[in-house]
Amino acid sequence: MAIGDMDTAQNVTYAVPGMGSSAEGMGDWAKSSENVLKAQMMSAPGQTHAVVAWIGYEAPPVGPFGVLGTDFAREGAPHLGTALRGFEATRPDAQLNVLAHSYGTTTASIALTEPGVHVDSFVSIGSAGLTPSIDEASDLHADEVFAGQARDVWAIDPAPGDKWAWFGRAFSDHPVNPVSDDFGAKTFGRRHRHGWHQRQRPRRFHPGRRGLPGSGYGIAAQHRTCDDRSGRPGHG
């Protein structure tokens, strides 16, 4: 599902969901993608934008065990790679971006190592972890790599934060954390007003004072980075 005109938009983003996403829950991810579009329009009002709510793979179910393996990601990555190559072939003039959430970052990162796949920016949000073969941002076929993460919390904790992605990084075969200093992504965090937060439902992002504008910065403002994970706009 595309939000905006993919045929004419200068800036096109494929939004890749994480665990628990499905065609039946398309409404949730479509709303999240609309929120991404709003964030981009706030960050770069002089550009035209479109966001694709991409649910082209079978995601693992919500819970501690669905995120532990890479089978879902390895099966889904070629589908995303095909979509990205196809778009780039028909719209080489557009800026092409991928934003992925949770286990979607595992899937998208594998796709971004495939031959012939290249994007202008990749934004990882609340990553469930990348595979050991992708342990640096330079391993991805992306000109710019951004990563942000909410506070890690236990599943039974009522406080807002990341309840499952950290579990995937800690106990799986995809342990690479894209917000780590060694990885080399441009990071943004939850503390600044341009940060982001995740509510209890796993597939919905919300713009606002502490919402999606942070990821809008990463995608729509290509050369604006965030300093020291505080989310403060910088240059580099």
Side-chain angles (χ1 to χ4, degrees):
M1 176 185 291
I3 303 167
D5 191 342
M6 291 180 64
D7 293 332
T8 61
Q10 297 167 297
N11 188 317
V12 175
T13 298
Y14 278 72
V16 183
M19 62 181 183
S21 57
S22 67
E24 290 76 12
M26 186 71 185
D28 272 348
W29 194 241
K31 180 61 178 176
S32 296
S33 299
E34 183 180 353
N35 291 343
V36 171
L37 181 64
K38 291 176 180 177
Q40 291 177 325
M41 293 173 67
M42 286 189 288
S43 294
Q47 296 182 7
T48 53
H49 306 274
V51 176
V52 179
W54 188 85
I55 303 183
Y57 81 114
E58 182 183 358
V62 174
F65 301 109
V67 297
L68 295 184
T70 57
D71 289 348
F72 289 97
R74 294 190 186 280
E75 290 176 8
H79 300 296
L80 178 59
T82 297
L84 295 173
R85 281 190 293 264
F87 179 82
E88 191 169 28
T90 58
R91 288 289 319 278
D93 58 311
Q95 179 174 300
L96 178 58
N97 318 287
V98 171
L99 178 146
H101 171 236
S102 183
Y103 193 86
T105 68
T106 313
T107 303
S109 62
I110 295 173
L112 291 176
T113 63
E114 289 189 352
V117 175
H118 176 269
V119 298
D120 293 286
S121 71
F122 172 56
V123 179
S124 165
I125 297 180
S127 179
L130 313 186
T131 64
S133 63
I134 308 172
D135 60 358
E136 294 182 349
S138 60
D139 293 327
L140 300 167
H141 301 164
D143 292 341
E144 300 270 12
V145 178
F146 300 85
Q149 211 153 277
R151 182 172 63 97
D152 295 337
V153 297
W154 290 98
I156 60 174
D157 192 333
D162 190 327
K163 299 183 185 300
W164 296 118
W166 68 269
F167 190 93
R169 295 190 305 270
F171 301 105
S172 72
D173 58 356
H174 43 90
V176 177
N177 190 342
V179 303
S180 68
D181 293 336
D182 291 341
F183 188 76
K186 297 175 181 179
T187 56
F188 56 92
R190 65 187 182 274
R191 296 187 297 273
H192 185 61
R193 68 186 180 91
H194 292 301
W196 66 282
H197 75 284
Q198 176 187 353
R199 289 187 182 171
Q200 299 263 347
R201 300 182 71 178
R203 298 181 298 277
R204 181 73 62 85
F205 296 114
H206 304 264
R209 190 178 68 85
R210 302 179 65 83
L212 260 185
S215 57
Y217 269 56
I219 298 171
Q222 273 283 299
H223 299 291
R224 180 182 297 165
T225 185
C226 300
D227 184 49
D228 297 329
R229 296 188 202 162
S230 68
R232 294 184 180 279
H235 302 277

